[in-house]
Amino acid sequence: MSKSPKPAFTKFKLEVDGDGIAVVAWDSPGSTVNLIDMTMIAELSAIVEQVAANAKIKGAVITSGKDTFCVGADLIMLETLSRGFKDVAAAEGEEAASAKLLADSRKLSQLYRRIETCGKPWVAAINGTALGGGFELALACHRRIAADNPRSRIGQPEIKIGLFPGAGGTQRVARILPPADALQFLLKGDQIRLDRAKALKLIDAVVPPADLLKSSKEWIKSGGSAKAPWDAEGFKLPAGPVYSKAGMNVFPAANALYRRETYDNYPAARAVMQVVYEGLQLDMDTALRVESRHFAKVLRSPEAAAMIRSFFVSMQDLNAGVRRPAQVPPKTPKKIGVIGAGFMGAGIAYVSALAGIEVVLLDRDPETAEKGKAHSEKLLGDLIGRGAASNVDRDAVLSRILPTADFVELKDCGLVVEAVFEDRKIKEEVISRTQNVIGGEAIFGSNTSTLPITSLASAFKDHSRFIGIHFFSPVERMMLVEIIMGKETGDEALATALDYVRAIRKTPIVVNDSRGFYTSRVVGTYLREGHLMLMEGVPAALIENAGRMAGMPVGPLALNDEVAVDLAWKILQATAADLGAGAIDPRQKALLEELVEKRGRLGRKNGKGFYDYPPNGPKRLWPGLVDLQPKPIDPGGLDVKRLERRLLAIQALESARCIEEKVVTDMREADIGSILGFGFAPFTGGTISYIDGMGTKAFVALCNDLAAAYGERFKPGALLLDMATTGDTFYRRFPPPQRKAAA
């Protein structure tokens, strides 16, 4: 191959072979992945013009020098564009700021359209995962060929961070797939396997990795077209025009489904619906301009700003171990013990073994321990049934789990996690028996959601090696782990817990010890507010709908059924015993006592709680709830938006209290913990971003209004009052600490 003349590029290598085919290798220096940024856009633009202008070049193949093709845009770049809008708006006015944001944000779309229309055929040689703007680049090429790799995925996941594909993705996908499939692909944001992508015609061919470049070049040499199907005369949409019988069967139904699922809380999802609907009625160039305008509008929305910060910047920091003590050398967990083979313990064993860690799964007798291991076998069977694992994978994972009733088997474990019944005496007995067999270097973690870590640590010899490791149910699906620091928990224990959580591919937050810690404490306010609304006479169905309309995954009554109504009752009793009767609301006590003690309604686990769970059919609200209400209210006179604000505000207020009490010290963890732990409205960015987005002054006014109507529990604390007077935000007053380099 002869190297092309200058200009030289930092992110790309351009070579032209003897057949006149340019190979463009994308290989960003100093990074393990290729990301789209302004430098990439400028360099690839120059390469496209060079290919287009050189008569000796017949076509181009773009591929990656990394293990992946491209994982999307550098979201820091998008954050910068959004911040730049505010700066220009302040200096030159909103019209000028909007024009600049549109011009900057559509550069990638214009580049991809130039590839598509430059007159030379381009092939995307996809040698790994291609996501977001990376897959949009592949879509703009005239042929998409992927190297066969079971780990490769393609997708447009932008919707999950409050954005949507803004470089032509909505328009090209909707011209390849029927609109119903296109909308599902764009709105779900799933990352799909290559076989599925080929079946959908999102990629054209899958070839052995060794043949990727050869196949790509052969397509160009055999006369591959330099015109996209939608630019060719006579192109027809896959399912016909929008205004046709087929089209009218899709868009009205899709709009209804969108509103049912999102309650119109997500501007990006609304934009997807609109740009697909409008774009399919336009020529491609006009459709791309429509897409760009909507993208620029969504990019500057508060929802996108909050979701980018939480789901990308903050999540990336926490997953990278920003809270890990730098002075402690990293350790890869090799063998752990899990005490308690019930649903929670079995789940912990499964995710650990799946990550390649040996697990001693201990319970009171061998039969119970074996039953816990069988949980892993069932989950692996489900994966095999979906084609996501093989029999070999299953056997390897199961071989790493040792079920036993003998505490001696824990002797070589570097970390032991107890997940026994939430009873102090049982936990203290387990702690005592464990420390008699494990070494002095081992760390003990308690998976408790309510019992203070500091007091539990008193039963362990070395308090510095005792820590809380709170999982969420079901463990295999929930991505958050709450790590709780007791008063004497040391850096070694914290580092070990964080290394373990990272190994099992979950996101950690680190909080200080308190009653209910952070997540249980905050979500408890959501459950309580639902209970109190019910006792005020608000119809149960309206309470549940208000929760979902506010952005929560389920209403407070449904959530209480999932975590168990009797558990809420036990926590209430324990709170009264420890803090006095004044610490609980008598209305909530009366409701839970009636449900649990008198009616035996424990939640989903026994088929009856706030809902009934018939064996054959969907759950439904228990009709008897109305009989428990002192005085039912006519729903016609209720302000549903006020109910929504009430349900979100009480959670955000409790989060602010946790910060004031130094239970949470990092705003990122408050936000991420609220979303991943109990589903706090993701479009807000989390409980603290909800306050910052509204403004502390407005939030304090809202709380005072709610306090006047519903009680002192809504009264803002001293920290919020002080911040309201200065107009400060949590992220400004408490900027997230950066990770310190090791000495």
Side-chain angles (χ1 to χ4, degrees), residues 15 21 29 85 102 115 131 169 183 195 205 250 313 326 371 373 419 448 535 550 568 644 670:
E15 297 181 337
I21 297 175
F85 169 83
L102 175 61
I115 289 173
L131 301 175
L183 289 171
D195 56 351
V250 170
V313 180
K371 186 177 178 182
K373 181 176 179 177
T448 175
M535 296 307 282
E644 292 176 37

Side-chain angles (χ1 to χ4, degrees), residues 277-608:
Y277 174 75
E278 293 176 0
L280 290 181
Q281 301 175 64
L282 303 167
D283 64 89
M284 178 59 86
D285 288 302
T286 308
L288 290 174
R289 288 199 297 273
V290 169
E291 181 193 71
S292 292
R293 289 185 179 279
H294 280 283
F295 183 79
K297 181 180 179 181
V298 168
L299 184 59
R300 70 177 197 254
S301 69
E303 291 86 354
M307 291 180 75
I308 289 173
R309 180 172 67 184
S310 290
F311 286 101
F312 177 72
V313 180
S314 297
M315 191 88 79
Q316 193 174 62
D317 289 344
L318 297 183
N319 286 335
V322 71
R323 295 297 305 277
R324 191 187 186 283
Q327 69 275 14
V328 181
K331 292 181 182 178
T332 302
K334 296 179 180 178
K335 185 176 182 179
I336 71 161
V338 178
I339 306 176
F343 187 64
M344 183 67 77
I348 297 170
Y350 168 72
V351 297
S352 302
L354 197 65
I357 302 169
E358 290 185 46
V359 181
V360 176
L361 181 58
L362 187 146
D363 213 300
R364 61 181 180 272
D365 55 62
E367 293 76 21
T368 306
E370 286 284 359
K371 186 177 178 182
K373 181 176 179 177
H375 178 69
S376 292
E377 188 167 9
K378 179 185 181 302
L379 292 174
L380 290 162
D382 293 341
L383 290 180
I384 293 170
R386 299 200 304 270
S390 66
N391 291 334
V392 174
D393 297 328
R394 176 197 60 202
D395 294 344
V397 173
L398 293 177
S399 71
R400 290 192 280 267
I401 302 176
L402 172 66
T404 183
D406 189 352
F407 273 79
V408 174
E409 295 288 354
L410 299 172
K411 60 179 174 25
D412 297 325
C413 296
L415 170 68
V416 176
V417 179
E418 67 80 8
V420 299
F421 190 68
E422 197 77 349
D423 181 284
R424 181 180 294 278
K425 290 182 180 179
I426 296 174
K427 289 185 182 292
E428 288 177 346
E429 180 185 349
V430 163
I431 293 168
S432 177
R433 294 186 67 181
T434 302
Q435 68 182 349
N436 290 333
V437 296
I438 60 175
E441 299 299 310
I443 303 300
F444 192 98
S446 176
N447 175 58
T448 175
S449 58
T450 56
L451 299 175
I453 293 301
T454 302
S455 61
L456 284 177
S458 63
F460 198 71
K461 292 176 184 175
D462 186 349
H463 298 179
S464 71
R465 308 188 79 79
F466 195 99
I467 195 166
I469 304 178
H470 177 208
F471 286 85
F472 296 78
S473 182
V475 177
E476 64 274 7
R477 293 212 307 266
M478 299 296 284
M479 295 309 298
L480 185 75
V481 177
E482 184 177 33
I483 295 174
I484 306 105
M485 300 287 287
K487 286 184 179 178
E488 297 180 61
T489 300
D491 285 350
E492 184 80 28
L494 175 58
T496 298
L498 287 170
D499 288 345
Y500 166 62
V501 172
R502 188 174 186 181
I504 60 175
R505 302 179 185 89
K506 294 192 181 293
T507 298
I509 62 169
V510 181
V511 305
N512 292 318
D513 201 11
S514 80
R515 175 176 294 276
F517 316 129
Y518 172 64
T519 54
S520 296
R521 177 171 162 177
V522 175
V523 76
T525 65
Y526 179 58
L527 303 183
R528 180 185 65 194
E529 211 56 35
H531 298 159
L532 296 182
M533 285 180 178
L534 190 67
M535 296 307 282
E536 289 166 13
V538 179
L542 187 55
I543 296 170
E544 296 295 85
N545 285 336
R548 291 192 294 269
M549 291 168 71
M552 299 296 291
V554 294
L557 307 182
L559 182 58
N560 199 168
D561 272 4
E562 295 296 330
V563 300
V565 183
D566 60 326
L567 176 60
W569 172 233
K570 288 173 184 175
I571 292 171
L572 195 77
Q573 289 176 297
T575 302
D578 292 347
L579 303 179
I584 64 173
D585 192 300
R587 296 169 295 173
Q588 186 184 26
K589 178 186 176 184
L591 173 64
L592 293 178
E593 186 174 22
E594 178 72 27
L595 286 169
V596 175
E597 300 292 348
K598 299 179 182 178
R599 308 281 183 138
R601 303 188 70 86
L602 311 182
R604 180 184 278 276
K605 67 181 181 180
N606 80 329
K608 53 183 183 178

